[in-house]
Short mmCIF file of all heavy atoms in Angstrom, two decimals:
data_model
loop_
_atom_site.label_atom_id
_atom_site.label_comp_id
_atom_site.label_asym_id
_atom_site.label_seq_id
_atom_site.Cartn_x
_atom_site.Cartn_y
_atom_site.Cartn_z
N ASP A 11 2.27 -5.48 -11.57
CA ASP A 11 1.06 -5.10 -10.80
C ASP A 11 1.25 -3.83 -9.97
O ASP A 11 0.38 -3.50 -9.15
CB ASP A 11 0.60 -6.22 -9.85
CG ASP A 11 0.34 -7.52 -10.56
OD1 ASP A 11 -0.35 -7.49 -11.58
OD2 ASP A 11 0.81 -8.57 -10.09
N MET A 12 2.36 -3.14 -10.14
CA MET A 12 2.67 -2.02 -9.27
C MET A 12 2.40 -0.68 -9.97
O MET A 12 2.93 -0.43 -11.06
CB MET A 12 4.14 -2.08 -8.84
CG MET A 12 4.51 -1.10 -7.74
SD MET A 12 3.75 -1.48 -6.13
CE MET A 12 4.71 -2.92 -5.63
N PRO A 13 1.60 0.19 -9.35
CA PRO A 13 1.35 1.52 -9.93
C PRO A 13 2.54 2.45 -9.69
O PRO A 13 3.45 2.13 -8.90
CB PRO A 13 0.11 2.00 -9.17
CG PRO A 13 0.20 1.32 -7.84
CD PRO A 13 0.82 -0.02 -8.11
N PRO A 14 2.55 3.61 -10.33
CA PRO A 14 3.72 4.50 -10.22
C PRO A 14 3.93 5.07 -8.83
O PRO A 14 5.04 5.51 -8.52
CB PRO A 14 3.43 5.61 -11.24
CG PRO A 14 1.97 5.54 -11.49
CD PRO A 14 1.58 4.11 -11.32
N ASN A 15 2.89 5.09 -7.97
CA ASN A 15 3.07 5.59 -6.60
C ASN A 15 3.42 4.47 -5.62
O ASN A 15 3.45 4.68 -4.41
CB ASN A 15 1.82 6.33 -6.11
CG ASN A 15 0.62 5.41 -5.96
OD1 ASN A 15 0.63 4.26 -6.41
ND2 ASN A 15 -0.43 5.91 -5.32
N PHE A 16 3.67 3.26 -6.16
CA PHE A 16 3.98 2.10 -5.33
C PHE A 16 2.90 1.84 -4.28
O PHE A 16 3.19 1.40 -3.17
CB PHE A 16 5.37 2.23 -4.70
CG PHE A 16 6.48 2.28 -5.71
CD1 PHE A 16 6.99 3.50 -6.15
CD2 PHE A 16 6.99 1.11 -6.27
CE1 PHE A 16 7.99 3.55 -7.11
CE2 PHE A 16 7.99 1.15 -7.23
CZ PHE A 16 8.49 2.37 -7.65
N CYS A 17 1.66 2.15 -4.64
CA CYS A 17 0.47 1.93 -3.80
C CYS A 17 0.40 2.85 -2.58
O CYS A 17 -0.41 2.64 -1.67
CB CYS A 17 0.36 0.46 -3.35
SG CYS A 17 0.13 -0.70 -4.72
N ARG A 18 1.22 3.87 -2.56
CA ARG A 18 1.25 4.79 -1.42
C ARG A 18 -0.11 5.48 -1.27
O ARG A 18 -0.61 6.12 -2.18
CB ARG A 18 2.33 5.84 -1.62
CG ARG A 18 2.70 6.63 -0.36
CD ARG A 18 3.78 7.64 -0.68
NE ARG A 18 4.91 7.01 -1.34
CZ ARG A 18 5.91 6.43 -0.69
NH1 ARG A 18 5.92 6.42 0.62
NH2 ARG A 18 6.92 5.89 -1.36
N GLY A 19 -0.74 5.32 -0.10
CA GLY A 19 -2.02 5.95 0.19
C GLY A 19 -3.23 5.19 -0.32
O GLY A 19 -4.36 5.64 -0.09
N ASN A 20 -3.03 4.06 -0.99
CA ASN A 20 -4.17 3.28 -1.46
C ASN A 20 -5.00 2.76 -0.29
O ASN A 20 -4.45 2.29 0.71
CB ASN A 20 -3.71 2.08 -2.30
CG ASN A 20 -3.24 2.49 -3.69
OD1 ASN A 20 -3.13 3.68 -4.00
ND2 ASN A 20 -2.95 1.51 -4.53
N ILE A 21 -6.32 2.82 -0.43
CA ILE A 21 -7.24 2.37 0.62
C ILE A 21 -8.19 1.33 0.05
O ILE A 21 -8.79 1.54 -1.01
CB ILE A 21 -8.04 3.54 1.20
CG1 ILE A 21 -7.10 4.55 1.88
CG2 ILE A 21 -9.09 3.05 2.20
CD1 ILE A 21 -7.80 5.83 2.31
N ASN A 22 -8.30 0.21 0.73
CA ASN A 22 -9.31 -0.79 0.42
C ASN A 22 -10.34 -0.75 1.55
O ASN A 22 -10.02 -1.08 2.70
CB ASN A 22 -8.67 -2.18 0.32
CG ASN A 22 -9.66 -3.27 -0.06
OD1 ASN A 22 -10.85 -3.18 0.22
ND2 ASN A 22 -9.17 -4.32 -0.71
N ASN A 23 -11.56 -0.35 1.23
CA ASN A 23 -12.57 -0.17 2.27
C ASN A 23 -12.92 -1.47 2.99
O ASN A 23 -13.45 -1.44 4.10
CB ASN A 23 -13.84 0.45 1.67
CG ASN A 23 -13.63 1.89 1.26
OD1 ASN A 23 -12.84 2.61 1.89
ND2 ASN A 23 -14.30 2.33 0.20
N ASP A 24 -12.64 -2.61 2.35
CA ASP A 24 -12.88 -3.89 3.02
C ASP A 24 -11.77 -4.24 4.01
O ASP A 24 -11.96 -5.10 4.86
CB ASP A 24 -12.99 -5.01 1.98
CG ASP A 24 -14.24 -4.88 1.12
OD1 ASP A 24 -15.25 -4.35 1.63
OD2 ASP A 24 -14.20 -5.29 -0.05
N HIS A 25 -10.62 -3.59 3.85
CA HIS A 25 -9.48 -3.85 4.75
C HIS A 25 -8.83 -2.52 5.14
O HIS A 25 -7.66 -2.26 4.81
CB HIS A 25 -8.46 -4.77 4.09
CG HIS A 25 -8.98 -6.13 3.80
ND1 HIS A 25 -9.07 -7.11 4.76
CD2 HIS A 25 -9.47 -6.68 2.65
CE1 HIS A 25 -9.57 -8.21 4.23
NE2 HIS A 25 -9.84 -7.97 2.95
N PRO A 26 -9.56 -1.65 5.83
CA PRO A 26 -9.01 -0.33 6.15
C PRO A 26 -7.81 -0.39 7.09
O PRO A 26 -7.07 0.58 7.21
CB PRO A 26 -10.20 0.38 6.81
CG PRO A 26 -11.05 -0.72 7.34
CD PRO A 26 -10.91 -1.85 6.36
N GLU A 27 -7.62 -1.53 7.73
CA GLU A 27 -6.49 -1.67 8.66
C GLU A 27 -5.16 -1.85 7.94
O GLU A 27 -4.09 -1.74 8.57
CB GLU A 27 -6.73 -2.87 9.60
CG GLU A 27 -6.53 -4.25 8.99
CD GLU A 27 -7.69 -4.73 8.09
OE1 GLU A 27 -8.65 -3.96 7.89
OE2 GLU A 27 -7.60 -5.87 7.61
N ILE A 28 -5.19 -2.11 6.63
CA ILE A 28 -3.96 -2.34 5.86
C ILE A 28 -3.63 -1.08 5.08
O ILE A 28 -4.36 -0.70 4.15
CB ILE A 28 -4.11 -3.54 4.91
CG1 ILE A 28 -4.39 -4.81 5.72
CG2 ILE A 28 -2.85 -3.71 4.06
CD1 ILE A 28 -4.63 -6.04 4.87
N PRO A 29 -2.55 -0.39 5.43
CA PRO A 29 -2.19 0.84 4.70
C PRO A 29 -1.59 0.50 3.33
O PRO A 29 -1.07 -0.60 3.12
CB PRO A 29 -1.14 1.48 5.61
CG PRO A 29 -0.50 0.33 6.31
CD PRO A 29 -1.59 -0.69 6.50
N ASN A 30 -1.67 1.46 2.43
CA ASN A 30 -1.03 1.33 1.12
C ASN A 30 -1.43 0.01 0.44
O ASN A 30 -0.59 -0.74 -0.05
CB ASN A 30 0.50 1.40 1.26
CG ASN A 30 0.95 2.57 2.10
OD1 ASN A 30 0.57 3.70 1.84
ND2 ASN A 30 1.73 2.29 3.13
N TRP A 31 -2.73 -0.27 0.45
CA TRP A 31 -3.24 -1.54 -0.08
C TRP A 31 -2.77 -1.77 -1.53
O TRP A 31 -2.81 -0.87 -2.33
CB TRP A 31 -4.77 -1.54 -0.04
CG TRP A 31 -5.37 -2.76 -0.65
CD1 TRP A 31 -5.77 -2.92 -1.96
CD2 TRP A 31 -5.62 -4.01 0.00
NE1 TRP A 31 -6.26 -4.18 -2.16
CE2 TRP A 31 -6.17 -4.88 -0.98
CE3 TRP A 31 -5.43 -4.47 1.30
CZ2 TRP A 31 -6.54 -6.18 -0.68
CZ3 TRP A 31 -5.80 -5.77 1.59
CH2 TRP A 31 -6.34 -6.61 0.61
N PRO A 32 -2.34 -3.03 -1.84
CA PRO A 32 -2.13 -4.19 -0.98
C PRO A 32 -0.68 -4.37 -0.53
O PRO A 32 -0.31 -5.43 -0.04
CB PRO A 32 -2.54 -5.33 -1.89
CG PRO A 32 -2.07 -4.88 -3.25
CD PRO A 32 -2.25 -3.38 -3.27
N VAL A 33 0.13 -3.33 -0.69
CA VAL A 33 1.55 -3.44 -0.34
C VAL A 33 1.77 -3.49 1.16
O VAL A 33 2.68 -4.14 1.66
CB VAL A 33 2.33 -2.25 -0.97
CG1 VAL A 33 3.70 -2.10 -0.36
CG2 VAL A 33 2.44 -2.45 -2.48
N ASN A 34 0.92 -2.80 1.91
CA ASN A 34 1.08 -2.63 3.35
C ASN A 34 2.23 -1.64 3.59
O ASN A 34 2.38 -0.68 2.87
CB ASN A 34 1.30 -3.98 4.05
CG ASN A 34 0.87 -3.95 5.51
OD1 ASN A 34 0.97 -2.93 6.19
ND2 ASN A 34 0.36 -5.06 6.01
N THR A 35 3.04 -1.86 4.58
CA THR A 35 4.09 -0.90 4.93
C THR A 35 5.10 -0.73 3.80
O THR A 35 5.60 -1.71 3.24
CB THR A 35 4.83 -1.36 6.19
OG1 THR A 35 3.90 -1.50 7.26
CG2 THR A 35 5.92 -0.37 6.58
N ILE A 36 5.36 0.52 3.44
CA ILE A 36 6.42 0.82 2.48
C ILE A 36 7.70 1.04 3.26
O ILE A 36 7.80 1.97 4.07
CB ILE A 36 6.07 2.06 1.63
CG1 ILE A 36 4.81 1.78 0.80
CG2 ILE A 36 7.24 2.45 0.73
CD1 ILE A 36 4.30 2.96 0.01
N PRO A 37 8.71 0.18 3.07
CA PRO A 37 9.92 0.28 3.89
C PRO A 37 10.62 1.62 3.74
O PRO A 37 10.78 2.12 2.62
CB PRO A 37 10.80 -0.87 3.38
CG PRO A 37 9.87 -1.78 2.66
CD PRO A 37 8.78 -0.93 2.10
N GLU A 38 11.05 2.19 4.83
CA GLU A 38 11.80 3.44 4.79
C GLU A 38 13.08 3.27 3.99
O GLU A 38 13.51 4.18 3.28
CB GLU A 38 12.13 3.89 6.22
CG GLU A 38 13.13 5.04 6.32
CD GLU A 38 12.67 6.30 5.59
OE1 GLU A 38 11.44 6.52 5.45
OE2 GLU A 38 13.54 7.08 5.15
N GLU A 39 13.69 2.08 4.07
CA GLU A 39 14.92 1.84 3.31
C GLU A 39 14.68 1.91 1.81
O GLU A 39 15.56 2.32 1.04
CB GLU A 39 15.50 0.47 3.68
CG GLU A 39 15.90 0.34 5.14
CD GLU A 39 14.77 -0.24 5.99
OE1 GLU A 39 13.58 -0.06 5.61
OE2 GLU A 39 15.09 -0.88 7.00
N PHE A 40 13.48 1.50 1.38
CA PHE A 40 13.13 1.60 -0.04
C PHE A 40 13.03 3.07 -0.44
O PHE A 40 13.59 3.48 -1.46
CB PHE A 40 11.80 0.88 -0.31
CG PHE A 40 11.29 1.05 -1.71
CD1 PHE A 40 11.80 0.28 -2.74
CD2 PHE A 40 10.31 1.99 -1.99
CE1 PHE A 40 11.34 0.45 -4.04
CE2 PHE A 40 9.83 2.16 -3.28
CZ PHE A 40 10.36 1.38 -4.30
#
């Protein structure tokens, strides 16, 4: 279910408070 950008910058207009929808925070360690 993961796109090549790892959902970076994805926006769900129903949940604008969640970045990189639906992954949420992309860990810096990753």
Side-chain angles (χ1 to χ4, degrees):
D11 304 312
M12 190 68 73
N15 66 348
F16 297 96
C17 296
R18 195 180 308 274
N20 285 7
I21 297 172
N22 183 332
N23 291 328
D24 292 330
H25 296 280
E27 75 283 3
I28 299 177
N30 311 307
W31 176 268
V33 165
N34 205 327
T35 301
I36 297 175
E38 169 58 28
E39 298 93 332
F40 174 80

